[in-house]
Amino acid sequence: MPTEAGSDAGDPGRGAPAAARRRRLLTSSTTRAEKARAVRGLGGLAGLAGLLVALLLLPTACTAGVSARDAAGWFEAEPDGLSTSGVPQRSKILAADGTTLATFFYQNRVDVPLKKIAPVLRQAVLAIEDSRFYEHGAIDAQGTLRALASNLSSGQVTQGGSGITQQYVKNLLLTQADTDAQRREAQEVSAARKIRELKYAVALEKRFSKDEILRRYLNIAYFGDGAYGVETASRHYFSKHASELTLSEAALLAGVVRYPYAYDPIRHPGAARQRRDTVLTRMAQLGWISQARADEAKSEPVELDVDKVRSGCVTSEAPFFCDYVQREILTDPVFGKTAQEREKLLKQGGLTIRTTLDRRAQKAAQRAVDRHVPPKNSAHKAAAEAMVEPGTGEIKAMVVDRKLGSDRERGKTWINFAADASHGSSIGMQAGSTFKAFTLAAALDEGLPFGTRLMAPREYTPVGYRNCDGDRVGDPSASLRNSADGEGGKQFSLVTGTHHSVNTFFLALEKKVGLCDTVKMAERLGMKQANGKPLEQYPSFTLGFNPVSPLRLAAAYAAFGARGRYCEPLAIREIRDASGHRLKVPGRHCEQAVDEGVADAVNYVLRGVLTKGTARGMGLGRDAAGKTGTVDNFSAAWFAGYTPDLAAAVWVGDPRGGYKHPMENLCMDGQCYGAVFGATIPAPVWQQSMLGALSRTDPTSFHRPPSHFFSRGTGEERPKVPDVRGMTPGEAVARLRAAGYRAVIGEPVASRRFPKGTVAGMSPTSAEPGDTITLHVSKGERGPDRRRRTGGGPPTPPVTPPPGDPSQQAPA
């Protein structure tokens, strides 16, 4: 078994034990062809060795003539194309608190300075690979001749002639090879390759100190099982740093280098132990350790503590956020002109990528999503949530109720439902009534006060709209209803129409504000389709037919929490290369998309959704606002909400297709919901995740809106109903109808004030137009012999006016 310098046959990861590779030249079982090949191999080695010796002598051959001097000059000249730039190192993605989320690499390597490599490990490697490293130059003539003599005398290759510098060159050329052809060239057994390596070795010995060459070699060498460099090998096999290795552990790693697969201590522990003992014996022979210490180390068993580091996001605690960051780097030209350059930077550049992820928020969101929509739920539904910090755009959490992986396995998906197609392959989902917030913001931006009231019919024909190109859009044959989110047939204010999420109210409001202005408001807040295309412009825009991602929606709502300051979603705070230099990264892009006062007014309205509207009961115990969203036919459900400190958007639906698999009469893992609205599952997910994410954040309050928004009241108080007492029933019905109310005749009442047959009472006295008012007709003053009625008998049927008298007909 070889104990000196490395062998050409010992390429990292490709070698086999010397005993397994030896082939005797003259045995009874050896064929004539094998004998011929073996003789040619030894002859080639002899010839190569002769050439190397001749090259060694060239610099000192004073009588060799001009040609010898020229050859020597060529050999010692600095070679063209020699690059000693840093070896490939693994990159890592860090959360905001500095903990590692994922690692990326082609070769799992962590470069360390020599002082962080235990001296005993340096000694062990030198002892078994190149014990005269600090004594000879780039080429060890003594070692080369000794290897030649040993190989010729034994009839087999037992020793190589490569020193540490030559091995470093060979590994460097192999590592820097980008193509298969370059890799074959770096590994071919030929005189040309050997001469090229020797020329590089001479140049490196001039350029670097012996310590630096040893450091570089120890950081580039392959130690088996995917571990490159001594630091990674130490962490992999022993879960400790290279500076902490014991003698026995150091000898084990040193022994692996010659044939990384054959001496892999995981796959071949017996061979690894024997090789370790060989290293210890060699160290004792050289006098670098005592025989007693070597024997003591040999008596120790091989005890591994394997730490398997995997490349990529699959095993990350935040897999979909990790995937988002990875795609950010692989697709943004700021990280390289081509996709190949960007991938090489990520997997070889030794980057430290510091991100915005808040691990507390991430865990809270994942728990909430998995609780309400389990990854392998019986209904095959899915959920996703994105959390964004108002005022910065920093992504604090990004979760999907699945593991990252092939969807052939239940409970896994490669699609990041929380992100756009460019960062997660998702084509987005229709957003439903969450888009009504943009219509509301556009109306407030145009100065409409909270008390602005519009009639919301039970059905709405979308005509009279123009898109931003000035084209008429709409379908005169269509009839839009309030099916899922609200009721119609009466008037609503900006406040109450939003609280009840009345579809026909928002269609009317969008028409009043202008479809184009509504679209532009959404665009100012960063909204676009998940496929990257602009938002489509049709009357049902306000009802959320455009497919978007939770991340985009969360960032838009975050702008309301930041008083109108919109920031593009941001995942990466900083990137440093292996040398600690900061790289250029996409910067923060923020702008005041909406006036502060307008945003304050939006917050005033949307906070009532959590206390009085479609999501009442979903508050956080601090200032918060939000909006439910239910897509047509219950094909999906949303909730988007925020505080001044954090915003989040939640989607729940069916990856197989929402219209084909609606959430109506839904039962999931034994729990039945009936029809799923935005408040049914998404809002509870949002509430639970927000409570967890903000558990250690002091509450921040919204600002009071400017006074002009209250010019018609708060928008919450009900208008005073016209006083029709003293009128005849027909006159009263006509008066109420003119004011937008309905009327029915209730039980007659006794009255001293109002004559018999006139209206003596009405209920309620405050109501929204469209509500029903009950009228009570006077029976006149009660006589002394008439008993007071104490019961509440059946009401008198409504008055039926004579046919053809429209003034007395109640509104439909």
Side-chain angles (χ1 to χ4, degrees):
M1 185 174 290
T3 58
E4 277 287 346
S7 165
D8 284 338
D11 285 333
R14 298 176 62 88
R21 294 174 61 88
R22 295 173 186 168
R23 182 166 289 169
R24 296 288 179 178
L25 299 181
L26 301 173
T27 67
S28 59
S29 62
T30 304
T31 66
R32 180 175 298 178
E34 288 174 329
K35 291 177 181 179
R37 283 196 300 270
V39 170
R40 286 198 301 271
L42 285 175
L45 177 60
L48 179 58
L51 176 60
L52 297 181
V53 171
L55 288 171
L56 289 169
L57 297 177
L58 276 174
T60 58
C62 299
T63 61
V66 175
S67 61
R69 287 196 304 271
D70 290 344
W74 172 86
F75 192 70
E76 291 199 318
E78 182 80 5
D80 295 330
L82 174 61
S83 172
T84 57
S85 58
V87 297
Q89 296 187 56
R90 69 188 192 188
S91 298
K92 56 185 178 180
I93 295 178
L94 308 181
D97 63 1
T99 56
T100 300
L101 295 176
T103 307
F104 293 88
F105 52 81
Y106 290 130
Q107 297 179 352
N108 185 16
R109 179 185 286 107
V110 178
D111 199 86
V112 291
L114 199 62
K115 66 181 180 180
K116 291 190 176 182
I117 302 174
V120 69
L121 177 56
R122 295 180 239 161
Q123 289 180 327
V125 171
L126 290 173
I128 200 64
E129 294 296 327
D130 190 354
S131 61
R132 299 181 61 256
F133 173 68
Y134 282 94
E135 300 171 20
H136 63 71
I139 304 171
D140 184 5
Q142 178 179 326
T144 300
L145 293 174
R146 182 175 61 249
L148 174 62
S150 174
N151 295 338
L152 289 174
S153 65
S154 64
Q156 59 190 356
V157 179
T158 60
Q159 293 186 20
S162 298
I164 290 293
T165 306
Q166 292 168 251
Q167 291 187 57
Y168 168 61
V169 169
K170 181 171 62 178
N171 278 285
L172 183 63
L173 293 175
L174 182 60
T175 297
Q176 292 178 343
D178 290 326
T179 65
D180 290 340
Q182 291 174 338
R183 281 186 282 273
R184 286 194 297 269
E185 183 182 359
Q187 298 179 83
E188 66 179 354
V189 179
S190 68
R193 192 207 85 186
K194 196 66 179 180
I195 292 173
R196 184 174 70 252
E197 289 179 1
L198 290 174
K199 180 177 173 64
Y200 286 167
V202 170
L204 291 178
E205 288 271 355
K206 289 182 178 180
R207 187 183 299 182
F208 302 117
S209 67
K210 286 286 189 178
D211 280 352
E212 177 61 15
I213 292 173
L214 177 61
R215 183 195 74 79
R216 287 170 175 259
Y217 170 71
L218 292 175
N219 278 299
I220 202 173
Y222 182 57
F223 288 85
D225 202 36
Y228 291 83
V230 291
E231 176 66 14
T232 299
S234 180
R235 295 187 195 180
H236 177 62
Y237 291 117
F238 303 111
S239 294
K240 60 172 63 174
H241 294 291
S243 61
E244 303 169 335
L245 293 173
T246 65
L247 172 60
S248 176
E249 294 166 344
L252 184 76
L253 290 186
V256 170
V257 176
R258 178 69 60 85
Y259 301 119
Y261 179 80
Y263 297 132
D264 181 339
I266 296 176
R267 294 181 177 87
H268 308 292
R273 180 166 184 169
Q274 290 179 5
R275 180 66 172 165
R276 178 201 67 178
D277 293 350
T278 299
V279 175
L280 292 169
T281 297
R282 180 61 177 161
M283 293 178 75
Q285 290 174 350
L286 292 170
W288 293 357
I289 61 172
S290 66
Q291 187 62 51
R293 191 179 178 198
D295 292 340
E296 180 183 359
K298 289 180 183 179
S299 67
E300 298 178 10
V302 175
E303 295 182 347
L304 304 179
D305 184 6
V306 179
D307 179 17
K308 189 72 174 179
V309 177
R310 296 186 180 181
S311 178
C313 298
V314 171
T315 58
S316 173
E317 66 179 84
F320 290 94
F321 176 81
C322 170
D323 185 62
Y324 182 94
V325 173
Q326 176 185 209
R327 291 171 186 261
E328 178 87 357
I329 294 174
L330 294 179
T331 59
D332 196 324
V334 74
F335 297 110
K337 294 181 180 179
T338 66
Q340 184 179 6
E341 288 181 9
R342 296 190 287 268
E343 183 175 1
K344 188 174 181 180
L345 175 66
L346 176 62
K347 295 185 177 180
Q348 294 186 358
L351 306 180
T352 299
I353 305 163
R354 298 186 179 276
T355 71
T356 60
L357 186 100
D358 183 327
R359 294 178 69 236
R360 179 183 301 279
Q362 177 73 18
K363 290 179 179 179
Q366 193 70 65
R367 282 195 300 266
V369 165
D370 289 348
R371 175 187 172 188
H372 292 276
V373 189
K376 298 181 181 180
N377 66 81
S378 60
H380 302 282
K381 303 309 177 191
E385 181 174 18
M387 289 183 158
V388 175
E389 183 177 64
T392 67
E394 291 191 354
I395 303 170
K396 295 303 179 182
M398 182 179 290
V399 301
V400 175
D401 74 321
R402 296 283 192 276
K403 294 184 181 299
L404 186 64
S406 173
D407 57 9
R408 294 179 181 176
E409 184 177 347
R410 189 177 174 192
K412 292 186 177 182
T413 182
W414 288 118
I415 300 175
N416 184 353
F417 295 114
D420 286 354
S422 61
H423 289 76
S425 302
S426 173
I427 59 174
M429 294 73 68
Q430 290 186 340
S433 294
T434 58
F435 258 48
K436 291 173 181 173
F438 305 128
T439 310
L440 171 67
L444 294 169
D445 190 50
E446 294 187 4
L448 297 184
F450 297 136
T452 300
R453 285 178 165 78
L454 298 174
M455 187 65 188
R458 296 189 182 278
E459 296 184 7
Y460 194 95
T461 300
V463 292
Y465 295 82
R466 291 183 182 273
N467 62 21
C468 291
D469 291 330
D471 301 328
R472 291 185 179 275
V473 290
D475 184 358
S477 64
S479 180
L480 301 178
R481 300 171 178 268
N482 294 302
S483 57
D485 284 312
E487 71 280 2
K490 59 182 181 180
Q491 285 191 349
F492 291 89
S493 70
L494 292 186
V495 174
T496 57
T498 303
H499 290 177
H500 295 282
S501 194
V502 185
N503 287 353
T504 56
F505 171 83
F506 273 94
L507 287 165
L509 182 62
E510 181 185 60
K511 185 175 181 180
K512 181 178 181 66
V513 172
L515 172 61
C516 183
D517 287 351
T518 301
V519 172
K520 286 183 176 179
M521 174 59 70
E523 291 176 341
R524 282 156 58 184
L525 294 169
M527 295 307 301
K528 58 184 177 181
Q529 293 187 72
N531 60 13
K533 296 181 180 179
L535 299 168
E536 293 190 356
Q537 303 175 25
Y538 296 101
S540 55
F541 178 90
T542 190
L543 306 184
F545 71 86
N546 275 283
V548 299
S549 70
L551 179 60
R552 284 277 170 193
L553 194 61
Y557 273 59
F560 296 138
R563 305 192 70 195
R565 179 178 171 82
Y566 170 75
C567 297
E568 281 281 341
L570 181 72
I572 300 173
R573 284 180 175 173
E574 175 188 272
I575 298 181
R576 292 185 181 270
D577 62 19
S579 301
H581 300 128
R582 295 184 65 170
L583 301 184
K584 183 180 179 180
V585 299
R588 297 183 190 274
H589 298 289
C590 300
E591 60 181 10
Q592 194 68 32
V594 181
D595 289 344
E596 289 185 350
V598 173
D600 294 338
V602 173
N603 300 338
Y604 170 84
V605 177
L606 292 186
R607 66 188 298 181
V609 173
L610 297 172
T611 57
K612 305 171 184 179
T614 54
R616 55 187 174 276
M618 291 293 122
L620 305 177
R622 63 171 76 200
D623 277 5
K627 184 70 188 72
T628 55
T630 307
V631 184
D632 287 349
N633 300 320
F634 303 101
S635 57
W638 290 74
F639 187 83
Y642 58 96
T643 72
D645 306 297
L646 188 64
V650 180
W651 163 82
V652 176
D654 198 308
R656 299 170 299 175
Y659 286 101
K660 186 176 180 180
H661 303 278
M663 294 189 294
E664 194 171 15
N665 300 318
L666 175 68
C667 288
M668 185 166 54
D669 291 358
Q671 184 170 356
C672 293
Y673 298 92
V676 176
F677 296 86
T680 309
I681 299 178
V685 170
W686 176 86
Q687 182 186 49
Q688 180 182 338
S689 60
M690 290 286 284
L691 287 172
L694 295 171
S695 60
R696 296 187 181 180
T697 302
D698 292 334
T700 306
S701 299
F702 291 132
H703 289 71
R704 179 175 172 81
S707 58
H708 67 82
F709 289 111
F710 295 96
S711 60
R712 296 186 186 177
T714 65
E716 296 184 55
E717 67 271 309
R718 293 149 70 91
K720 189 174 182 181
V721 179
D723 189 352
V724 294
R725 291 176 299 174
M727 298 182 183
T728 66
E731 293 172 336
V733 168
R735 176 71 178 85
L736 292 173
R737 181 183 181 183
Y741 296 94
R742 301 172 185 274
V744 296
I745 305 300
E747 182 181 358
V749 296
S751 173
R752 293 181 179 179
R753 179 179 177 186
F754 297 103
K756 183 178 180 179
T758 63
V759 175
M762 48 187 292
S763 177
T765 57
S766 294
E768 292 285 351
D771 287 346
T772 299
I773 308 301
T774 301
L775 303 178
H776 300 278
V777 179
S778 172
K779 296 188 295 183
E781 185 175 355
R782 183 176 62 249
D785 60 344
R786 185 177 299 175
R787 293 186 300 174
R788 181 186 301 270
R789 290 188 64 178
T790 58
T796 301
V799 172
T800 302
D805 187 359
S807 67
Q808 297 187 23
Q809 292 180 6

